[in-house]
């Protein structure tokens, strides 16, 4: 027993040594991202590595972490050393400005289009042939319909859905009270609130639950065209929300790790033609006109509003609707 | 409070060495890994005023989550007490094919990662799953309802009752039952009047352990629960939700409530075990 | 937590079935057996079968590809490393705690035992949270750690710490009742005969508790392999770096890669089965030994 115990301890010590050097062998970037960009960055990262090598001759590997947008932002605030963050909601980057200035206060100005290299929108995914005849937001409030939405408390995707439903009423000239009444009816039809966007998709497609899934266009289109075995259709509502996902460099981390140049190049790559093509391939709408035109069949015209334009400043919206005891809480608690 | 006054050896003189060393090491390790980290929760919570703390932990949604977490856990532990006792009885008293295998598999919920269990249970009990497709036409929805929470909690609690009752049942002298039978007792009377009282402390311990484990469970429940506010949100989810809104203090406030409860429950379990040890005389 | 009594070894059930005083009428027996087996099938067997069915749905090739994927391998490696550090730590602690609790009488013993049990009933979510509070960027030691460039959470040390926390009571819990039941006589005799403390421990105590110890280690190890909630909070979910196997299952599942998710899950289930097999073997061996010694 004695020598065995000793060798066990030795093995443990050896194991601890093993992992230490493996982490720092070459230049790496860590991209901390939200839930439904998994497939996108799986393609972007190797493409960036070869693009960067061709450009500078340097070798960079990109590591990837995914999860609910807010949860990921929180991890970065708590010390997860992300060089770049690619979130789905600007408040999740603003929080990093507030929390000890991890991100520059003017991060929106550092990259084109308010630092959003691609756009996406909240749309509907329905079962093949649209058996329930779901055309627009009004339909979601129909009694007896089952609507799958990720949890607005924990997921940016869910928050966009909630705000899109709210804004659809306001955009048509409705009052705040009308909007609240409508959103209450929609959430009465929600049987499951998954923690993240991908969880909601799985519930809808794999568990056969619900008549309609509200999620980002890229997710819906990917399921309808590629992953869903042709069992689903995308429905575009008459108006929806612009959910352009923002990106930023985490200044404090790149300063410490000496990766500022690589991090900036990585985000630049998202705007470059090659990056934009990969983005379009994954059903995100590229910013490049040329790439958008080349993929016109994937992206039907869509009418959308911005949160700031219709509902006011993001941070105020966040507080009013999603803080504890806010409008969303009142709606779901009393439904 | 120094360790010497709190943990002063009593009664007999010590012949064996190593009391100071082992107690010292135990206390240091315990403090470093458990007590100091846990105290962080309390200190963080203390930054809230009493009234704010009370407001956080008694918010309607949080209260609804206590009701579900504690209610479902209590029910699950009860179900496990009944069926776990039956299973333990069958494993000790009967011969049947596959018994060894079943005996070994009882510990499965213990060794299977909770996330895997959650995914597997959801796949089984959803409307299009093997079990769900049978139950749903009968009007019984399991996955994504409070019933789903119950199923997951029953799953993770199975080993506790079986494993605490089984050894006691094995040690039970057959003479007791023979005596009861020779005095003319019916089998059922023997069970309720002779066997059950002996099993009771172990059964209670198993019940309490299953309960304690179920209240804090997160991984397996979250997939199958549905997470609808006021209906199918469990307390650990409320902690996670607070965390994801950057509300550390709110999260620790709810965590404090859970911690105090866990500690009280465990203290009861340990006293129960001491009491049962005295009763059955297993502890020399 | 399984009580040490399990180690007594299984008696043959036939001695009950052949005794008029301890058997039930056939219909009672078969009803009881039927209900318990149905309960077993519903809650234990079916989930296990479901894992393997889903894993092999797309065939062996997909199954093996999923397991030999680079990220899967690094998740397996990390899980093994974590267990290799956490289990020995808790092993030493468990023996030490059991020694002072089982062999000595002192005030506050129940209190101490309860504290040792505490991690068992603390929600895994809280277990992860406490390390974020301590070592996170805004935590107690966050500033100091950052200044010295030491990474704890969102790195391997944090995962190990969370694992140590959730597996904390297992060995101690297994040993305490066993050592209490064995009493102090043998050790006291050895001491009186002039053996040193360590000699007494290695020569007398350890041989007596080795099966219980192994049993505790196996349970501890099983839990270390499978922990999800606590590790999830401190991991950072970096593919190929801070993903343990249970986290990798979740990632694959979220990547719409169900066959691969269940493949890795089935590997974990397989590990669980091996663990349970080992456990049964230990019980049998321990039972055999206790019969021999009688």
């Amino acid at each position: 027993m004695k020598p065995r115990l000793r060798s066990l301890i030795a093995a443990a010590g050896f194991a601890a040594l093993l992992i230490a050097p493996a982490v720092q062998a070459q230049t790496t970037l860590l991209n901390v991202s939200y839930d439904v960009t998994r497939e996108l960055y799986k393609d972007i990262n190797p493409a960036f590595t070869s693009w960067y090598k061709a450009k500078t001759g340097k070798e960079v590997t990109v590591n990837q972490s995914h999860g609910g947008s807010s949860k990921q932002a929180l991890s970065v605030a708590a010390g997860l050393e992300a060089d770049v963050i690619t979130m789905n909601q600007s408040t999740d980057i603003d929080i990093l400005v507030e929390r000890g200035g991890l991100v520059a206060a003017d991060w929106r100005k550092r990259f084109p289009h308010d630092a959003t290299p691609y756009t996406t929108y909240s749309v509907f995914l329905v079962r093949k042939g649209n058996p329930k005849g779901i055309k627009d937001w009004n339909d979601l409030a129909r009694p007896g319909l089952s609507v799958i939405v990720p949890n607005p408390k924990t997921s940016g995707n869910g928050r966009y859905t909630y705000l899109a439903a709210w804004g659809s009423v306001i955009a048509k000239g409705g009052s705040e009270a009308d909007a609240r009444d409508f959103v209450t009816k929609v959430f009465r039809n929600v049987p499951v609130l998954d923690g993240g966007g991908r969880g909601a998709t799985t519930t809808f497609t794999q568990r056969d639950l619900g008549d309609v899934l509200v999620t980002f266009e890229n997710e819906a289109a990917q399921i309808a065209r590629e992953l869903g075995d042709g069992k689903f259709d995308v429905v575009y509502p008459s108006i929806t929300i612009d959910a352009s996902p923002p990106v930023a460099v985490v200044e404090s981390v790149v300063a410490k790790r000496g990766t500022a140049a690589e991090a900036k190049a990585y985000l630049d790559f998202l705007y470059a033609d090659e990056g934009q093509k990969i983005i379009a391939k994954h059903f995100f709408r590229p910013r490049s006109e040329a790439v958008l035109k080349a993929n016109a069949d994937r992206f039907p015209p869509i009418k959308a509003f911005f949160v700031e334009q219709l509902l006011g400043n993001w941070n105020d919206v966040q507080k009013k609707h999603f803080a504890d005891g806010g409008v969303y809480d009142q709606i779901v608690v009393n439904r | 409070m120094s360790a010497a006054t709190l943990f002063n050896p009593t009664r007999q003189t010590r012949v064996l060495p190593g009391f100071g060393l082992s107690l010292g090491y135990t206390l240091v390790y315990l403090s470093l890994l458990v007590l100091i980290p846990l105290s962080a929760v309390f200190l963080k919570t203390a930054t809230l005023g009493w009234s704010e703390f009370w407001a956080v932990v008694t918010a309607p949604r949080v209260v609804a989550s206590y009701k579900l977490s504690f209610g479902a856990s209590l029910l699950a532990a009860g179900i496990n007490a009944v069926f776990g006792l039956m299973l333990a009885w069958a494993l000790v008293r009967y011969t049947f094919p596959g018994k060894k295998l079943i005996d070994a598999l009882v510990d499965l919920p213990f060794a299977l990662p909770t996330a895997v269990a959650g995914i597997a249970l959801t796949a089984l009990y959803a409307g299009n799953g093997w079990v769900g497709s049978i139950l749903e036409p009968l009007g019984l929805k399991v996955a994504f309802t409070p019933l789903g929470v119950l199923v997951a909690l029953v799953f993770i609690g199975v080993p506790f009752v079986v494993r605490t009752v089984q050894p006691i049942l094995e040690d039970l002298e057959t003479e007791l039952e023979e005596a009861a039978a020779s005095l003319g007792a019916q089998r059922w009377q023997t069970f309720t009047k002779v066997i059950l009282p002996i099993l009771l402390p172990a059964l209670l311990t198993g019940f309490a352990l299953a309960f304690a484990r179920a209240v804090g469970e997160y991984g397996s429940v979250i997939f199958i629960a549905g997470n609808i506010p006021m209906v199918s949100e469990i307390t650990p989810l409320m902690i996670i939700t607070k965390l994801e809104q950057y509300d550390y203090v709110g999260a620790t406030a709810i965590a404090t409530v859970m911690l105090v409860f866990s500690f009280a429950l465990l203290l009861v379990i340990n006293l129960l075990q001491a009491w049962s040890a005295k009763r059955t005389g297993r502890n020399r | 937590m399984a009580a040490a009594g399990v180690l007594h070894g299984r008696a043959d059930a036939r001695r009950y079935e052949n005794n008029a005083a301890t058997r039930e009428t056939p219909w009672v027996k078969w009803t009881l057996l039927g209900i318990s087996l149905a309960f077993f099938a519903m809650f234990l067997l079916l989930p296990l079968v479901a894992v393997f069915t889903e894993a092999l749905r797309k065939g062996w090739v997909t199954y093996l590809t999923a397991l030999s994927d680079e990220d899967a391998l690094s998740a397996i490696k990390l899980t093994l490393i974590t267990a290799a550090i956490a289990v020995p730590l808790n092993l030493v602690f468990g023996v030490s705690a059991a020694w002072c609790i089982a062999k000595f009488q002192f005030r506050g013993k129940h209190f101490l035992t309860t504290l040792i049990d505490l991690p068992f009933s603390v929600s895994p979510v809280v277990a992860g949270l406490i390390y974020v509070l301590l070592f996170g960027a805004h935590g107690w030691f966050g500033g100091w750690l950052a200044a010295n460039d030491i990474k704890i959470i969102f790195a391997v040390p944090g995962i190990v710490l969370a694992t140590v926390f959730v597996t904390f009571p297992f060995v101690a819990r297994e040993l305490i009742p066993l050592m209490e039941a064995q009493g102090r006589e043998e050790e006291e005799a050895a001491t009186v005969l002039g053996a040193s403390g360590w000699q007494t421990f290695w020569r007398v105590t350890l041989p007596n508790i080795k099966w219980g110890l192994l049993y505790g280690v196996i349970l501890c190890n099983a839990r270390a392999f499978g922990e999800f909630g606590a590790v999830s909070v401190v991991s950072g979910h970096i593919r190929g770096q801070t993903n343990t196997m249970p986290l990798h299952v979740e990632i694959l599942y979220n990547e719409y890669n169900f066959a691969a998710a269940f493949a890795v899950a089935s590997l974990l289930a397989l590990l669980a089965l091996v663990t349970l097999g080992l456990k049964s073997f230990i019980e049998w061996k321990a039972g055999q030994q206790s019969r021999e010694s009688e």
Side-chain angles (χ1 to χ4, degrees):
Chain A
M1 204 66 184
K2 197 174 182 177
R4 204 181 302 163
L5 194 69
R6 263 194 208 140
S7 59
L8 212 67
I9 294 166
F14 176 67
L17 286 177
L18 255 180
I19 22 181
V23 182
Q24 306 188 333
Q26 62 182 134
T27 310
T28 58
L29 289 177
L30 175 60
N31 175 5
V32 170
S33 190
Y34 62 101
D35 210 15
V36 298
T37 48
R38 294 167 192 274
E39 290 76 15
L40 171 67
Y41 286 110
K42 226 177 214 176
D43 275 5
I44 288 275
N45 292 345
F48 167 72
T49 300
S50 41
W51 178 80
Y52 195 68
K53 181 150 200 212
K55 226 176 112 190
T56 64
K58 285 185 200 147
E59 197 83 48
V60 180
T61 347
V62 186
N63 292 314
Q64 204 55 53
S65 166
H66 293 278
S69 189
S70 305
K71 180 187 169 195
Q72 294 289 82
L74 186 79
S75 293
V76 174
L80 178 60
E81 292 197 332
D83 300 272
V84 297
I85 41 172
T86 51
M87 296 301 174
N88 67 16
Q89 205 192 324
S90 56
T91 46
D92 289 329
I93 296 185
D94 284 332
I95 194 86
L96 298 177
V97 181
E98 287 165 33
R99 297 226 156 185
L102 283 97
V103 172
D106 66 340
W107 61 270
R108 284 184 181 80
K109 302 278 164 289
R110 302 264 169 125
F111 292 93
H113 302 283
D114 278 349
T116 56
Y118 43 86
T119 65
T120 191
Y121 304 89
S122 290
V123 301
F124 306 158
L125 187 70
V126 297
R127 307 208 177 270
K128 188 88 202 163
N130 199 354
K132 296 280 165 101
I134 294 155
K135 298 258 158 46
D136 208 347
W137 290 101
N138 301 337
D139 295 314
L140 302 192
R142 262 176 8 212
L145 205 77
S146 169
V147 183
I148 307 292
V149 172
N151 193 344
K153 276 284 196 181
T154 53
S155 131
N157 195 331
R159 282 194 278 271
Y160 277 114
T161 299
Y162 169 97
L163 292 175
W166 188 281
S168 75
V169 175
I170 304 286
K172 284 170 192 149
S175 69
E176 287 269 302
D178 295 339
R180 184 176 176 138
D181 184 49
F182 172 70
V183 173
T184 308
K185 281 185 188 145
V186 172
F187 274 85
R188 232 174 246 159
N189 286 342
V190 175
V192 184
L193 287 167
D194 283 289
R198 201 35 82 74
T201 305
T202 310
T203 300
F204 183 72
T205 60
Q206 300 299 303
R207 309 281 161 250
D208 289 343
L209 199 72
D211 301 308
V212 52
L213 167 75
V214 189
T215 189
F216 292 139
E217 180 189 21
N218 62 291
E219 177 80 348
Q222 178 173 256
I223 298 295
R225 297 202 183 199
E226 284 168 6
L227 296 176
D229 303 324
K231 289 193 291 196
F232 306 95
D233 287 329
V234 182
V235 170
Y236 288 89
S238 62
I239 185 164
T240 187
I241 197 164
D242 183 296
S244 302
V247 299
V249 172
V250 184
E251 303 292 341
S252 61
V253 173
V254 295
K256 183 175 151 199
R257 299 185 67 231
T259 48
E262 289 85 356
K264 177 157 190 322
Y266 181 70
L267 294 186
D268 283 339
F269 177 71
L270 297 177
Y271 289 92
D273 261 1
E274 204 184 331
Q276 290 277 301
K277 276 181 198 149
I278 298 173
I279 282 166
K281 193 180 135 215
H282 288 278
F283 302 99
F284 288 95
R285 298 194 181 211
R287 289 294 187 185
S288 149
E289 292 293 333
V291 179
L292 188 61
K293 208 166 272 170
N295 291 282
D297 61 315
R298 294 178 156 229
F299 303 115
I302 194 163
K303 202 176 140 209
F305 64 86
F306 290 90
V307 171
E308 281 92 344
Q309 174 194 7
L310 200 65
L311 307 173
N313 176 297
W314 243 123
N315 287 323
D316 297 341
V317 169
Q318 173 85 17
K319 250 183 229 123
K320 175 181 162 193
H321 289 278
F322 304 117
D324 268 356
V327 180
Y328 170 73
D329 272 0
Q330 295 163 21
I331 283 177
V332 289
V333 166
N334 303 319
R335 70 189 198 127
Chain B
M1 185 162 43
S2 81
T5 56
L6 184 61
F7 300 107
N8 202 4
T10 50
R11 287 221 304 255
Q12 87 289 345
T13 48
R14 284 182 284 139
V15 180
L16 293 181
F19 176 72
L21 177 69
S22 61
L23 182 66
Y25 178 74
T26 302
L27 289 178
V28 168
Y29 189 79
L30 183 72
S31 308
L32 279 181
L33 279 153
V34 178
L35 300 183
I36 293 175
L38 282 180
S39 67
V41 171
F42 290 96
L43 288 172
K44 190 88 183 174
T45 309
T47 59
L48 275 178
W50 176 252
S51 59
E52 287 168 284
F53 171 77
W54 192 248
V56 170
V57 299
T58 58
R61 255 174 102 180
V62 180
V63 171
S65 83
Y66 297 145
K67 281 186 191 149
L68 177 65
S69 268
F70 290 98
S73 302
L74 208 59
L75 203 57
I79 291 174
N80 272 323
V82 174
F83 290 97
L85 177 61
M86 281 192 202
L87 193 55
W89 185 271
L91 286 172
V92 174
R93 292 295 177 105
Y94 304 140
T95 44
F96 53 92
K99 181 168 139 176
K100 278 227 166 72
L101 188 75
I102 291 176
D103 197 4
L105 279 181
V106 164
D107 281 330
L108 182 74
F110 213 75
L112 197 68
T114 49
V116 174
I119 293 172
L121 287 171
T122 312
L124 276 178
Y125 286 87
N128 60 354
W130 294 343
V131 182
S133 59
I134 302 171
L135 294 179
E136 205 131 295
L138 305 174
L140 205 60
K141 277 194 177 146
V142 179
F144 312 118
T145 68
L147 210 55
V149 176
L150 186 66
V151 167
L153 295 182
V154 169
F155 172 81
I156 60 156
V158 173
F160 297 105
V161 173
V162 178
R163 289 305 186 225
T164 45
V165 170
Q166 210 174 5
I168 310 289
L169 207 51
E170 271 168 1
D171 280 357
L172 204 66
E173 307 288 342
T174 50
E175 285 83 353
L176 283 176
E177 290 165 62
E178 283 159 7
S182 72
L183 291 172
Q186 298 295 310
R187 190 75 188 117
W188 177 245
Q189 281 177 313
T190 311
F191 179 75
T192 52
K193 298 267 167 64
V194 179
I195 302 173
L196 202 57
I198 299 175
L199 294 182
L200 201 61
L203 197 60
L204 277 176
T205 307
F207 172 85
L209 282 172
F211 182 48
R213 176 85 164 81
V215 168
E217 178 56 20
Y218 177 72
S220 60
V221 179
I222 215 66
F223 288 96
I224 202 172
N227 311 325
I228 296 292
M230 309 298 284
V231 179
S232 50
E233 277 184 326
I234 54 168
T235 309
L237 177 69
M238 296 311 299
I239 298 180
I240 290 276
T241 310
K242 296 253 180 228
L243 273 184
E244 296 188 353
Q245 296 171 78
Y246 316 111
D247 184 5
Y248 273 57
V249 186
T252 53
I254 302 177
T256 304
V257 173
M258 293 193 77
L259 274 178
V260 169
F261 170 79
S262 310
F263 184 76
L265 193 66
L266 281 172
L267 204 59
V268 170
I269 296 173
N270 279 328
L271 294 176
L272 211 63
Q273 274 174 337
W275 171 63
S276 92
K278 221 174 268 169
R279 260 179 59 133
T280 55
R282 280 159 57 80
N283 193 357
R284 265 170 286 163
Chain C
M1 244 156 291
V6 172
L7 293 176
H8 283 205
R10 294 276 182 274
D12 198 332
R14 257 168 296 196
R15 76 185 168 110
Y16 299 107
E17 290 178 328
N18 295 335
N19 184 339
T22 55
R23 72 170 166 230
E24 289 82 32
T25 43
W27 72 266
V28 174
K29 174 186 163 178
W30 290 111
T31 316
L32 266 177
L33 203 54
I35 294 175
S36 24
L37 291 185
F39 176 76
F40 169 82
M42 278 282 272
F43 286 99
L44 296 177
L45 196 59
L46 270 181
L48 189 65
V49 174
V51 168
F52 282 97
T53 317
E54 293 289 332
L56 292 171
R57 177 158 288 184
K58 298 234 167 102
W60 281 100
V61 179
T62 325
Y63 183 81
L64 292 174
T65 322
L67 291 184
S68 53
D69 174 72
E70 202 182 313
D71 290 333
L73 289 178
S74 80
I76 293 171
K77 190 175 140 200
L78 179 58
T79 302
L80 294 177
I81 289 170
T82 306
I85 301 172
V87 175
L89 281 176
N90 282 338
L91 169 84
V92 174
F93 163 75
V95 172
S96 151
W99 179 263
C100 68
I101 288 173
K103 304 282 175 189
F104 300 94
Q105 288 298 330
F106 55 92
R107 239 177 289 144
K109 198 160 141 172
H110 288 307
F111 186 70
L112 183 62
T113 325
T114 305
L115 285 180
I116 291 175
D117 278 347
L118 197 55
F120 164 78
S121 74
V122 168
S123 177
V125 172
V126 179
L129 169 67
I130 56 178
Y131 290 105
V132 177
L133 289 177
L134 283 183
F135 303 119
H138 300 277
W140 290 359
F141 305 112
W144 183 83
L145 290 172
N148 290 285
D149 201 18
I150 301 171
K151 280 196 256 180
I152 295 201
I153 54 168
F154 309 120
V156 179
I159 293 172
V160 173
L161 274 177
T163 308
V164 170
F165 185 92
V166 293
T167 58
F168 192 86
F170 287 77
V171 177
R173 248 347 220 152
E174 207 52 55
L175 288 182
I176 292 170
L178 183 67
M179 280 163 77
E180 272 179 347
Q182 284 170 351
R184 286 183 295 269
E185 291 85 355
E186 288 185 46
E187 281 89 355
E188 279 170 357
T191 314
V192 169
L193 291 174
S196 76
W198 286 114
Q199 279 174 327
T200 310
F201 176 75
W202 288 112
R203 304 265 166 80
V204 180
T205 312
L206 203 56
N208 276 335
I209 60 166
K210 66 180 175 202
W211 295 115
L213 187 65
L214 210 54
Y215 186 90
V217 164
I218 281 179
L219 284 179
C220 183
N221 192 53
R223 191 69 207 277
F225 278 162
E227 180 50 29
F228 172 75
V231 170
S232 161
V233 178
V234 296
S235 135
H237 303 269
I238 308 167
R239 268 191 94 107
Q241 283 186 13
T242 59
N243 263 334
T244 61
M245 278 164 80
L247 295 180
H248 194 60
V249 172
E250 193 211 13
I251 285 196
L252 290 169
Y253 189 75
N254 274 331
E255 282 177 356
Y256 230 74
N257 199 347
F258 304 115
F262 278 104
V264 179
S266 78
L267 193 63
L268 277 163
L270 216 57
L271 279 174
L273 290 179
V274 170
T275 302
L276 298 180
L278 265 178
K279 207 202 78 194
S280 301
F281 173 76
I282 288 170
E283 277 168 8
W284 172 76
K285 194 86 184 163
Q288 205 183 35
Q289 218 169 50
S290 75
R291 265 192 296 280
E292 271 166 19
S293 68
E294 268 161 23

